[in-house]
Amino acid sequence: MLRVGIVGIGFMGKVHVMSFTDKPMIPNATVKNAKLIAVCDIDPEKLEWAKTIDPELKTFTDFKEMLSSGEIDAVIVATPHYLHPIMGMEAIKQKIHVLVEKPVGVFTKNVEELNKVSEENRDVVFGLLFNQRTNPLFKKAKEIIDADGIGKFKRVNWIITNWYRPQKYYDNGEWRATWAGEGGGVLINQAPHQIDMWQWLCGMPNKVRAYCKFGENRDVEVETDVTAYVEYPNGGNGVFITSTHDAPGTNRLEIIGNNGKIVIENDQLSYKKLLVPENELNLIATADLRDPKNTPQFEETIYTSKELGEVPWGVEHALVIENWIDAIEGRDKLIAPGVEGIKALELINSMILSTFLNKEIDLPIDKDLYYDELMKRCATSKYKKRWSI
Amino acid sequence: MLRVGIVGIGFMGKVHVMSFTDKPMIPNATVKNAKLIAVCDIDPEKLEWAKTIDPELKTFTDFKEMLSSGEIDAVIVATPHYLHPIMGMEAIKQKIHVLVEKPVGVFTKNVEELNKVSEENRDVVFGLLFNQRTNPLFKKAKEIIDADGIGKFKRVNWIITNWYRPQKYYDNGEWRATWAGEGGGVLINQAPHQIDMWQWLCGMPNKVRAYCKFGENRDVEVETDVTAYVEYPNGGNGVFITSTHDAPGTNRLEIIGNNGKIVIENDQLSYKKLLVPENELNLIATADLRDPKNTPQFEETIYTSKELGEVPWGVEHALVIENWIDAIEGRDKLIAPGVEGIKALELINSMILSTFLNKEIDLPIDKDLYYDELMKRCATSKYKKRWSI
């Protein structure tokens, strides 16, 4: 049975440690196809906590030591964001399969390096913990889009503001919501899953104009409020809106194409399929707007989370971990290949860069410029520690 | 009984003419508190049509002649857009009360002059045909906002794409969707009511960055697809999205403030009132996100069009005409004072100007610059006729 290690025993690390036991933190969030052997953290208290969960766990305070110990075949990285690509690279180089928590990194410059190392080591399985890819509503949307159910993409609008974060949440960790500690705010911490879903469903835009508001309604360095306008190579466009201070929040995704529209909101997906594709209707419709023949007619299908087989938060994570293990052992392919993580990060970086420079950004972004701009903010960040392994 | 004239017997002019009879085009869309005496159009066929509706109608081909004929006390202007402010001014100067169809004009430069003339002639009642102000859902939203029901404004998002227009609609009138004939596209023709509602409910922004796509999916000169980002003086922000080629379209308005949220969609208004205002919750909530005390709690009230007393399209117009007549005769105040029309137009102009210049626009806009930019497009417009009275 595959021997797994976990590095970073913070909130998510604890969820993962417990998912390898028969008493998971989240009911039914159990990983059955592998064994947790070792944990690593620089904080001895975290390791003691892990021992209370499983006294047989091997503990490490040095990540490289855990990798080279011969005790593990695969490692889950749940450390602070800045460490993700550094640890990912180190693991791959040591031929240890790796599953990285979101986001894959903070800036694309070193994630590109990570991807390069991964491509040079195709025998090592590199996955990402994009648990939302197991969400049945998003899977259904992907299925409809892949089957050409909405036709040529035209417009997307996503308002996701239902992750309320009060000031004490930010004050809870000194690294939180700082440039040097976390490297961003709502985009890098709360939204990476949705931004991954966004590009998974709609593809990558080629132009971004975003307005990030840094410290809006919260005493933090980074963005707590974002509105981004994007354009796609095929002529489509979209808007992505997120914040941590809207109450009550909204989570509504609308995607429209030439053949129909998908709306996901309130745990259901509405799919409206046009009886006549828009470009054809445009050719045959007359100027008489009161004639129903000249207006879009559609069939609507509603899918609910419940009927599609809702997967609770936490169980999603266990499913992604099991999928990664299945991929390592050749039984399945990855739900979220690690090399795809750069796409969501590129979008995140482009939105922040657009605000830094107060202008439109063409994609792919200038990764060195973003790194330089980010480092300027890190230099004056109130978080002074630097991450290393 | 007040004697009314109508100028411009196109589609809306016909609706208005028939609303003064006991056989209105739209059931129950009858204006009872005044009498239609005269109609004016440059097209004799239109005047003949009017005679078939009421043989006693006096007919004019010259607007100034109708104004000075002594036959009418008040006039409804339903001519092409460019003529609205010119005719409005002429009527007011002749001491004839005037009700102008939307939009109040095409550019703010001459609408400012119109407003000046109106302010110099306060005895003349100048109204606008903003029929959406009688919509019970928007009236309810206004009532909630005016009663401080959502508190300090934070964010607005309006997607209004449910006015599908095929190519033949555009081909139906040579002036349609041309710079010289209509002066704009979806913003100036379809959206003025909603843009008025938008500023009525949220106030005026002070910064606009818009992406108008001219001729997107339709063979026309003007904008058929718009995404606008705006910022408000109080720090709030918003997005307005419209198009004429989305199918099936959406009409969803969300407004959020410190105390709650309003969403209008599918003929109903949802009002979520926070039990604790957001800025207070932010002070008392702790970092434990799993404790419901730390997340926004609210009471939701749903209002449907039906229960609030839905008013069909057309009947709304008759109500606004009756309100204008009541205002003339001192029985009521105007639902939509004419001088307020410039606000929606300022927003429309700013969105188009932002695209022309490919940059952010501060409000109020440079009205001479907009006029000059518009005239450049008019010079090469395929519509060659120039409007005059």
Side-chain angles (χ1 to χ4, degrees):
Chain A
M1 196 173 246
L2 200 84
R3 301 166 308 157
V4 174
I6 296 176
V7 59
I9 314 299
F11 178 72
M12 284 312 301
K14 285 178 179 161
V15 172
H16 299 325
V17 167
M18 292 178 76
S19 72
F20 283 87
T21 71
D22 51 8
K23 284 177 187 147
M25 194 186 295
I26 314 298
N28 304 314
T30 306
V31 176
K32 296 191 188 77
N33 56 356
K35 186 161 169 51
L36 183 67
I37 298 289
V39 291
C40 177
D41 203 291
I42 51 170
D43 180 352
E45 275 183 31
K46 301 269 173 71
L47 300 177
E48 273 166 45
W49 171 88
K51 285 279 200 184
T52 67
I53 301 300
D54 178 358
E56 290 182 19
L57 280 177
K58 303 208 161 44
T59 60
F60 294 87
T61 52
D62 185 305
F63 179 58
K64 289 184 183 177
E65 225 169 83
M66 178 166 77
L67 291 179
S68 58
S69 66
E71 300 281 354
I72 61 169
D73 308 305
V75 65
I76 298 172
V77 176
T79 52
H81 308 155
Y82 273 104
L83 294 175
H84 292 178
I86 305 171
M87 289 183 159
M89 263 185 276
E90 195 59 37
I92 295 170
K93 285 178 183 169
Q94 304 268 350
K95 298 288 182 188
I96 304 290
H97 306 288
V98 62
L99 182 67
V100 175
E101 263 288 357
K102 59 84 192 169
V104 65
V106 174
F107 49 90
T108 55
K109 188 174 166 159
N110 67 352
V111 174
E112 252 188 26
E113 289 172 43
L114 165 62
N115 283 356
K116 193 162 165 281
V117 170
S118 173
E119 276 152 27
E120 290 163 0
N121 291 276
R122 286 174 187 260
D123 52 329
V124 181
V125 176
F126 166 33
L128 276 177
L129 238 160
F130 273 148
N131 53 293
Q132 288 283 317
R133 288 198 183 186
T134 67
N135 179 308
L137 292 177
F138 292 115
K139 278 167 70 179
K140 177 56 74 179
K142 178 75 172 159
E143 187 187 309
I144 292 168
I145 290 169
D146 285 352
D148 208 30
I150 66 161
K152 186 189 166 200
F153 168 78
K154 291 171 84 169
R155 189 189 311 283
V156 56
N157 187 279
W158 201 339
I159 309 176
I160 174 145
T161 54
N162 65 340
W163 30 46
Y164 186 71
R165 295 291 184 272
Q167 187 63 42
K168 287 198 183 71
Y169 163 83
Y170 289 112
D171 298 342
N172 192 38
E174 53 168 353
W175 53 277
R176 270 202 199 285
T178 61
W179 288 116
E182 197 164 21
V186 62
L187 291 173
I188 206 89
N189 186 310
Q190 282 77 34
H193 295 297
Q194 285 70 21
I195 294 172
D196 175 58
M197 283 294 106
W198 181 26
Q199 70 79 21
W200 199 48
L201 297 173
C202 303
M204 287 292 280
N206 60 343
K207 196 171 93 172
V208 173
R209 180 63 175 104
Y211 293 85
C212 300
K213 298 186 160 195
F214 304 122
E216 177 77 359
N217 280 324
R218 294 295 181 268
D219 182 19
V220 296
E221 295 176 3
V222 295
E223 79 285 356
T224 52
D225 190 306
V226 178
T227 301
Y229 168 77
V230 302
E231 291 184 356
Y232 292 84
N234 82 339
N237 61 58
V239 167
F240 184 86
I241 293 163
T242 189
S243 94
T244 53
H245 63 87
D246 283 21
T250 294
N251 184 0
R252 181 182 185 276
L253 169 63
E254 164 171 332
I255 305 173
I256 186 162
N258 186 57
N259 300 357
K261 182 166 78 167
I262 288 170
V263 175
I264 300 180
E265 189 178 15
N266 299 328
D267 295 319
Q268 67 173 41
L269 182 155
S270 149
Y271 169 43
K272 290 181 177 167
K273 183 180 163 57
L274 289 173
L275 302 188
V276 180
E278 192 284 308
N279 62 336
E280 293 174 28
L281 179 61
N282 185 41
L283 295 176
I284 58 178
T286 71
D288 180 3
L289 302 177
R290 284 166 300 179
D291 183 342
K293 280 203 305 289
N294 298 326
T295 61
Q297 307 292 316
F298 57 84
E299 273 171 5
E300 182 173 17
T301 311
I302 304 276
Y303 302 91
T304 67
S305 276
K306 205 163 271 183
E307 76 191 20
L308 291 174
E310 201 171 8
V311 181
W313 187 93
V315 178
E316 290 177 344
H317 298 72
L319 288 177
V320 174
I321 296 171
E322 290 203 329
N323 163 263
W324 167 64
I325 293 160
D326 284 345
I328 293 168
E329 299 189 330
R331 289 186 297 270
D332 204 348
K333 50 179 209 170
L334 285 172
I335 293 170
V339 291
E340 288 184 18
I342 199 166
K343 294 179 181 179
L345 186 61
E346 175 105 26
L347 283 165
I348 292 167
N349 286 180
S350 71
M351 290 188 239
I352 296 176
L353 187 61
S354 176
T355 307
F356 282 167
L357 305 182
N358 194 28
K359 66 174 194 178
E360 289 168 17
I361 300 296
D362 291 322
L363 266 62
I365 65 165
D366 180 337
K367 58 185 188 293
D368 294 310
L369 177 62
Y370 185 74
Y371 178 77
D372 292 345
E373 290 290 329
L374 177 63
M375 287 305 120
K376 277 188 215 168
R377 274 79 186 176
C378 288
T380 57
S381 175
K382 69 176 183 185
Y383 187 75
K384 294 302 174 198
K385 203 171 103 184
R386 289 295 177 272
W387 303 111
S388 62
I389 59 169
Chain B
M1 197 175 242
L2 199 84
R3 301 167 307 157
V4 175
I6 295 175
V7 60
I9 314 299
F11 178 73
M12 284 313 300
K14 285 178 179 163
V15 172
H16 299 325
V17 167
M18 292 178 74
S19 73
F20 283 88
T21 71
D22 52 8
K23 284 176 188 148
M25 193 185 296
I26 314 299
N28 305 313
T30 306
V31 176
K32 296 192 188 77
N33 55 356
K35 187 162 168 53
L36 182 67
I37 297 290
V39 291
C40 177
D41 203 292
I42 51 170
D43 179 352
E45 275 183 32
K46 302 270 173 72
L47 300 176
E48 274 167 43
W49 171 86
K51 284 280 200 185
T52 67
I53 300 301
D54 177 358
E56 290 181 21
L57 281 177
K58 302 207 162 45
T59 59
F60 294 88
T61 51
D62 184 305
F63 179 56
K64 289 184 183 177
E65 226 170 81
M66 179 166 77
L67 290 179
S68 59
S69 66
E71 299 281 354
I72 61 169
D73 308 305
V75 66
I76 298 171
V77 176
T79 52
H81 309 156
Y82 273 105
L83 293 174
H84 292 178
I86 305 170
M87 290 184 159
M89 262 185 278
E90 195 59 37
I92 294 170
K93 284 177 184 169
Q94 303 269 349
K95 298 288 183 188
I96 304 290
H97 306 288
V98 62
L99 182 68
V100 176
E101 262 287 356
K102 58 84 193 169
V104 65
V106 173
F107 49 90
T108 55
K109 188 173 167 161
N110 67 352
V111 174
E112 252 189 25
E113 288 172 44
L114 165 63
N115 283 356
K116 193 162 166 280
V117 170
S118 173
E119 276 153 25
E120 289 162 1
N121 292 275
R122 287 175 186 261
D123 53 330
V124 181
V125 176
F126 167 33
L128 276 177
L129 238 160
F130 273 149
N131 52 293
Q132 288 283 317
R133 288 199 184 186
T134 67
N135 179 309
L137 293 176
F138 292 115
K139 278 167 70 180
K140 176 57 74 180
K142 178 75 172 161
E143 186 187 309
I144 293 168
I145 290 169
D146 285 351
D148 208 30
I150 66 161
K152 185 189 167 201
F153 167 79
K154 291 172 83 170
R155 190 189 311 283
V156 55
N157 187 280
W158 200 339
I159 309 176
I160 173 145
T161 54
N162 65 339
W163 30 46
Y164 186 71
R165 295 292 184 272
Q167 187 63 41
K168 287 198 183 70
Y169 163 83
Y170 289 111
D171 298 341
N172 192 37
E174 54 167 354
W175 53 276
R176 271 201 198 283
T178 61
W179 289 115
E182 197 163 22
V186 62
L187 291 173
I188 206 89
N189 186 310
Q190 281 77 34
H193 295 297
Q194 285 69 21
I195 293 172
D196 175 58
M197 282 296 105
W198 181 26
Q199 70 78 21
W200 198 49
L201 297 172
C202 303
M204 288 292 281
N206 60 342
K207 196 171 93 172
V208 173
R209 181 63 174 105
Y211 293 84
C212 300
K213 296 186 161 195
F214 304 122
E216 177 78 0
N217 280 325
R218 295 293 180 269
D219 182 19
V220 296
E221 295 175 2
V222 294
E223 79 284 357
T224 52
D225 190 306
V226 178
T227 301
Y229 167 78
V230 302
E231 290 184 356
Y232 292 84
N234 82 339
N237 61 58
V239 167
F240 184 86
I241 293 164
T242 189
S243 93
T244 53
H245 62 88
D246 282 22
T250 294
N251 184 1
R252 181 181 185 277
L253 169 64
E254 163 170 333
I255 304 173
I256 186 161
N258 186 57
N259 300 357
K261 181 167 79 167
I262 288 171
V263 176
I264 300 180
E265 190 178 14
N266 299 327
D267 295 319
Q268 68 174 40
L269 183 156
S270 148
Y271 169 44
K272 289 181 177 166
K273 184 180 163 54
L274 289 173
L275 302 187
V276 179
E278 193 283 309
N279 62 337
E280 293 174 29
L281 179 61
N282 185 42
L283 295 175
I284 58 178
T286 71
D288 180 3
L289 302 178
R290 284 166 300 181
D291 183 342
K293 280 204 305 291
N294 298 325
T295 61
Q297 306 294 316
F298 57 84
E299 271 172 7
E300 182 174 18
T301 312
I302 304 277
Y303 302 92
T304 66
S305 278
K306 205 164 270 186
E307 76 191 20
L308 291 175
E310 202 172 6
V311 181
W313 187 92
V315 179
E316 289 176 345
H317 298 70
L319 288 176
V320 175
I321 296 171
E322 290 203 329
N323 164 262
W324 168 63
I325 293 160
D326 285 344
I328 292 168
E329 298 189 330
R331 289 186 297 271
D332 203 348
K333 48 179 209 169
L334 285 173
I335 293 169
V339 292
E340 289 186 17
I342 200 167
K343 293 179 181 178
L345 186 61
E346 175 104 27
L347 283 166
I348 292 167
N349 286 181
S350 71
M351 290 188 238
I352 297 176
L353 187 61
S354 176
T355 307
F356 283 167
L357 305 182
N358 194 28
K359 66 174 195 178
E360 288 169 18
I361 300 296
D362 291 321
L363 266 61
I365 64 164
D366 181 336
K367 58 183 186 295
D368 294 310
L369 177 62
Y370 184 73
Y371 178 76
D372 292 345
E373 290 290 329
L374 177 64
M375 288 304 120
K376 276 189 217 168
R377 274 79 186 175
C378 288
T380 57
S381 176
K382 69 176 183 185
Y383 187 74
K384 295 301 173 198
K385 203 171 101 182
R386 288 295 176 274
W387 303 108
S388 63
I389 60 169

